[in-house]
Amino acid sequence: PHVTELLLIDAESVDRTRELAAPLVDRIIAHPNSPNFDAIRNVAIGEAGWDWMWFVDADERVPEATGRLVNQLIRERGDEFEGICIPFRTQFCGQWMQHCGWWPGYTCPRVLKRDHFRFAAQLPARRATDQYPTRAVSEAHVSGMAIG
């Protein structure tokens, strides 16, 4: 509901990812597995049909309100920045980890404008380029599951 096109990059998954995702995505892009999964995201840059890309991992969830807020921000002020940082709300054993430095968990810009970024090809690679203006959206969050 938050995006017009949904791509899945499948890095040689050995579970039922492709089968389960096929009816939910517009296209599945096969890619060799790599220890640097951030760099694999670069494949989507050339494949996506839109100027703004939102990178979400399989264990992350984007609440409806966050999707609406990000879309509104891009429509109204998308010419002022090239990336959006959204706080990451980590869940562990069903509980929100809001203390001990887990909140807000900004990792790197996750909503990015085409031609203004690439994910690092070498490990460690947790950052998209940060030489372009970004906007932090503290009113929203993306939820993810910690293993536990």
Side-chain angles (χ1 to χ4, degrees), residues 1-41:
H2 320 302
V3 297
T4 305
E5 177 184 42
L6 187 59
L7 305 178
L8 169 75
I9 302 172
D10 180 46
E12 300 177 342
S13 59
V14 294
D15 56 12
R16 296 176 51 213
T17 297
R18 293 177 70 91
E19 173 191 345
L20 295 173
L24 305 172
V25 301
D26 296 298
R27 195 160 25 117
I28 298 175
I29 303 164
H31 191 279
N33 197 7
S34 169
N36 183 355
F37 59 89
D38 282 332
I40 294 173
R41 296 171 195 235

